[in-house]
Structure formats: structure tokens, C-alpha cells
Amino acid sequence: MLSRRLMLGAALAAAAAVALPGAGRAQGNSGPIRIATAGPMTGQYAAFGGQMRAGAEQAVADINAKGGVLGRQLVLEVGDDACDPRQAVSVANQLASRGVRFVAGHFCSGSSIPASKVYAEEGVLQISPASTNPKFTDDGGWNTFRTCGRDDQQGQVAGKYIAEHFKGKKVAILHDNSAYGKGLADETKKSLNAAGTTEALYTAYTPGERDYNAVVSRLKGAGVEVIYIGGYHTEAGLILRQAKEQGMNVTLIGGDALVTNEFWQITGAAGEGAMMTFSSDPRKRASAAEVVQRFKAKNIDPEGYVLYTYAAIQIWAQAAEKVKSLDPKKIAEAMKAQGPFQTVLGEISFDKKGDVTVPDYVFYVWKNGAYSEM
């Protein structure tokens, strides 16, 4: 998505792809294998970039400790797209030029979609841990996969829930005009309408601002009691807090981009009772127990997309071992035909588009500064 606050200038773009210490260019059939993660390492969504980096670093460390991939060590590059589509294209070109074979990224759908075109042309396989817009895989090439679900799956769950649990309430659907936010809002609206409920208000807001009181006043004037937001935690948190400050008694519901403790840091007590859709908590899965303990030993909470990024790298590594090759197209074919793959998320298989075959969206609620499954 585009945001004035995220236009970081030429200096950032020049440093957008950074190799971690010890990285060396992979050559021929020997030497290290260069892979990458890319997402918003800076800017207002940097919390999610931090999640991806933590997951990628731990996955690389764990795989290397067991001998690497095809007997070669992995080195990780980190690309910063700040959730800006134009910067994402620049990052993709830089990573490809540096010999990266595989990218676990990007985060924002608005970045993943254009970046995927670069990767397809340059022979780079891409697994996004977080980009949920259907177009990423529907219109994607041979190289596009994701370990998360899709907006049309998530929106169906959200719309049905709102229709069933908030009968007679006035509902507003807001979005930030990004590929992710608008896509999720539209799918939720579609599901809500199909269940027989018509929203009182459907409108966009401008991301990156600090004052949403004009938006809130419009909601208040329409008598809105439930706000569904297709967008990110920063704006959602501000809108909710400012709504409560204006005396509105509202319930806020959002999607998976609210899965960060930063949401509560923005809302404070106003966040009590806010809800969101996300897959069942991967931190509680038996398949993740050992890895979760390693994160906790480092004082890292593997929330949000940490384990989704870790799983993306696991899948790529397992597929490479299956075909005994680093050829991205051979690996992509194996990912679609030779699953399931054993990951921290459990067993994962992909359909012909590159989507996971068993998404499992559930509802979470914020209470006392933390979120948990309902």
C-alpha cells in the first residue's frame, strides 16, 4: 500500500536489500545458498517486518545447524519494502541481482503482487507468509505460494459472524484502499450481504494519518455500532481509540493485520473487546512446541507471522531436498505435487494455484492487553 509516511526516499531504496553478516554469493554447486525475507522492516508496519525477520533468522539457523540444504549452508538477506509497491519492485530486482534463489515474503499484498512479477521473470520462487489478496495466486505465475489463507476465505468467516452475532446492529465497513485492506473489506461485505445484512456505511479512509475524528464523526452520525476495518493495526487502533473518545459504544472487528501487540499499545483500554480473524494460534500447536521454546529462550514472542515465515522456509528447504535441486521451477512443481510438508504450522499442502489446501480462520478477542482465541 502507498502511504506518505512510507515514502522513505532514495537512500532507503538503495539499502533496501541487506545481507546479514557472513553472507557470500552462491556460486555453481558449492558455497552458501542465498535466500531472503522481504517486508516492512521500517515504517508504520515495521512490527510485521520484525516478525518475518525473526522467523526467517531462526529457520535459517535451525536448518544450518542440521547441515543446511543439499549439504550447503543458507545465508539470509533482508529486503525492506516498507509496504510500498514501488519500493517492493526495487527490492525484488536487487534481491534477484544478488543471486537470491527464494524469498519468504512479502508482507503486504500490494507489495507481493508486483514483486512476484519480477521474481517470475528472474527465476525466483516466492512464498508469502502473510499476503492474503486472492490476486496474488489467482493472477500469479509458476512461482507464487503462501502459507496463510486468502481474503475470500477470511472475509467469508468475518461476514457470516457479524451477520449472526450482531443482528439488528448498524455496521460500517471501512478500508484503506490497499490491495489487502480493500480486498478483505470487499470479501467481508460480500459475505455479510449474502447473509442478509446490509451495511449502514461503506467507505475508505486515508492511511498514515494521525487524526481520524472526521471519519469517526461520520460513523457516529450514522449510528454505527459495529466497525469492520479492512486495513492495518495502526489506523484501526487510532480509529477505535478516537471513537471511544467521542463517546461511541462500538465493537471493532478486523482481520489478520491486527495480530500484533502494537495494536494494544495504540488503543490502550479502548481496545478491550476488539476482535479479529486469524488462523488458529500456531504457538499452541504441537508441531511448533520445540521451536516456540527456542524463541522464548531469546525473549521473542513468536506471534503473528513469525511461524508463518519459519514454515515458508521449511517448505522450500524440504522441497529442494525432495528434488535434489535448487532449480526454482522444479521446487515449485514439487511443492504442488509432493506434499504434505512437515512444518511448525503442521502439515501443509498446496493446490495448483499455490494456496494452502486447509485454511482455518477463527476469531480472536483482545482482553487486558492480550489477544486469545474465542
Side-chain angles (χ1 to χ4, degrees), residues 70 315-325 334-335 338-341:
L70 300 176
I315 292 165
W316 170 82
Q318 289 175 34
E321 293 287 357
K322 282 179 180 288
V323 297
K324 304 299 181 186
S325 172
M335 286 173 57
Q338 298 188 34
F341 297 92

Side-chain angles (χ1 to χ4, degrees), residues 46-237:
F48 295 112
Q51 291 176 4
M52 294 172 67
R53 182 168 186 155
E57 289 178 347
Q58 189 64 53
V60 167
D62 290 348
I63 290 170
N64 282 343
K66 294 179 179 180
V69 174
L70 300 176
R72 297 164 62 181
Q73 294 287 284
L74 304 180
V75 292
L76 179 70
E77 300 230 5
V78 179
D80 178 16
D81 65 18
C83 272
D84 174 356
R86 287 175 289 183
Q87 192 158 309
V89 170
S90 176
V91 167
N93 278 300
Q94 291 179 48
L95 292 175
S97 71
R98 292 173 67 86
V100 164
R101 309 263 189 163
F102 155 67
V103 174
H106 296 221
F107 177 76
C108 294
S109 295
S111 291
S112 278
I113 293 170
S116 71
K117 310 306 180 187
V118 176
Y119 295 136
E121 291 179 1
E122 298 295 334
V124 178
L125 192 146
Q126 178 184 9
I127 308 176
S128 173
S131 293
T132 53
N133 190 289
K135 290 183 178 180
F136 174 59
T137 50
D138 285 355
D139 300 340
W142 61 269
N143 63 322
T144 51
F145 296 81
R146 53 180 143 211
T147 52
C148 58
R150 295 161 51 108
D151 289 337
D152 45 4
Q153 298 161 339
Q154 185 172 193
Q156 185 176 25
V157 171
K160 182 180 179 182
Y161 183 93
I162 294 169
E164 291 178 353
H165 292 81
F166 295 94
K167 289 181 179 179
K169 301 287 187 181
K170 289 189 175 181
V171 179
I173 298 178
L174 310 182
H175 66 83
D176 60 5
N177 258 326
S178 70
Y180 163 72
K182 188 175 188 303
L184 182 56
D186 287 348
E187 294 295 341
T188 299
K189 171 179 162 58
K190 186 187 302 181
S191 176
L192 182 71
N193 296 164
T197 299
T198 300
E199 68 281 359
L201 185 66
Y202 174 90
T203 190
Y205 58 86
T206 303
E209 297 186 347
R210 301 297 299 173
D211 185 351
Y212 289 102
N213 279 295
V215 174
V216 170
S217 294
R218 187 177 176 189
L219 296 171
K220 189 175 183 180
V224 167
E225 299 162 280
V226 179
I227 304 171
Y228 183 85
I229 291 187
Y232 296 89
H233 70 288
T234 46
E235 291 84 6

